[in-house]
Amino acid sequence: MSTGDLVLLRPFWLLALLPVALAALWVRRRAANGGWERLVDPPLLRRMQALGLVGTGAAPRLAPFVLAALLALALAGPARLRASATAFAPMDPVVLILDLSPSITRGAALADAQAAAALVLQSAQGRPVGLMLYAADAYLASAPTSDAATLESLIAVLDAQTMPVQGSRPDIALASARELFLREGHPGVGGVDLILISDGGGVSPPALEEAQRLAEAGARLWTLGLASTPPEGAPHPDPEALASLAAAAGGAHAPASAPRPLLAQIEAARLTALARSERAGTAFDDLGRWLLLAALIPALALFRRRA
């Protein structure tokens, strides 16, 4: 679970807050001082309160529940990514999949795709990025690399003449991306984020099946939709199909003209997956110990001195 820059290493402990809150509410609704005000004259009650024999308000009665809530939050493991955790970035590559079908390359959509791809490179935060291009077939333009400048130069020169064949087959591109990480020497596709930039043309049942295979293997697919005007005979753009494609692989969809929220979501998903992995202990700084120190404050109320 991720909340902004923080992640929870053991979020299931948050469930403990529910019975704590219910118990605190029940105690809060009971009569103050345990009903002593109904049995003891006010002057005597004030004296008993001064001697610490009965409570003087809600704080002493609620202190155990505040303590329990802080302990539950501490056990949930709020954590922040360590600066040294950038060493784990190469283990979680990004693959950019660019649609270079005629509906993209023969209009203004190509410039939008190039701009979105450049922004993805800028937000990679040390993760290696690969580049795959597709039309009627798919081609690996660059294996995952940390050399963003080379990829930016390559993306900048893409045009209508780049692809040797015409068409739109995202299913082939997704299958090729999955096979890329099944080759000898690769740890598999798990943890990989694939970002498909397209107008949604050519999304078909085989493409949805490939997206599901990626999800089953542990990869995530995200889509950035382009607005385009396809030439006659080209597949018609289908943003809804593009969103369905991302949903089938555990990702999300956003317009290519406003990719930043999606890029933030991609990073949050990566941190959440890292927090659940065996690398979490070395990648994150667990802040729960500071909550344990804060729990000492309500604990003092439980051990107050009585005269």
Side-chain angles (χ1 to χ4, degrees), residues 18-285:
L18 181 58
V20 170
L22 292 176
L25 183 61
W26 178 77
V27 170
R28 182 68 180 84
R29 288 182 174 179
R30 293 179 62 191
N33 301 310
W36 282 101
E37 75 283 353
R38 295 194 301 267
L39 304 174
V40 180
D41 290 335
L44 179 58
L45 178 61
R46 287 194 295 271
R47 181 58 179 167
M48 293 174 66
Q49 290 173 339
L51 293 173
L53 298 178
V54 296
T56 59
R61 298 194 307 277
L62 297 180
F65 306 106
V66 175
L67 174 60
L70 288 172
L71 290 176
L73 290 173
L75 290 170
R80 193 180 298 274
L81 193 67
R82 291 175 175 166
S84 59
T86 53
F88 293 103
M91 301 181 185
D92 302 315
V94 175
V95 177
L96 262 173
I97 304 176
L98 292 186
D99 181 355
L100 291 184
S101 59
S103 60
I104 303 296
T105 59
R106 295 179 183 176
L110 178 59
D112 294 337
Q114 291 169 318
L119 195 56
V120 170
L121 293 176
Q122 295 171 14
S123 64
Q125 299 186 12
R127 301 176 69 184
V129 181
L131 178 62
M132 183 163 289
L133 311 174
Y134 78 92
D137 204 351
Y139 302 90
L140 180 65
S142 173
T145 176
S146 297
D147 187 359
T150 298
L151 287 180
E152 287 177 353
S153 300
L154 178 58
I155 291 171
V157 298
L158 298 176
D159 58 23
Q161 307 303 318
T162 300
M163 302 301 288
V165 290
Q166 304 288 316
S168 185
R169 292 292 302 274
D171 57 315
I172 295 178
L174 296 178
S176 298
R178 180 171 55 85
E179 292 168 0
L180 171 65
F181 293 94
L182 295 179
R183 297 175 183 174
E184 186 177 355
H186 289 279
V189 75
V192 177
D193 283 303
L194 298 101
I195 304 176
L196 175 65
I197 302 178
S198 171
D199 62 357
V203 174
S204 59
L208 291 171
E209 292 173 3
E210 284 297 337
Q212 292 169 355
R213 292 190 186 100
L214 286 167
E216 291 169 359
R220 298 174 293 270
L221 174 64
W222 314 84
T223 57
L224 290 171
L226 298 165
S228 67
T229 303
E232 186 177 354
H236 196 276
D238 192 346
E240 293 183 1
L242 202 58
S244 299
L245 191 65
H253 171 75
S257 58
R260 292 185 185 277
L262 184 71
L263 296 178
Q265 192 174 351
I266 292 172
E267 180 61 14
R270 183 182 80 91
L271 292 181
T272 299
L274 183 58
R276 295 174 180 171
S277 72
E278 58 185 14
R279 298 173 281 164
T282 52
F284 291 94
D285 184 16

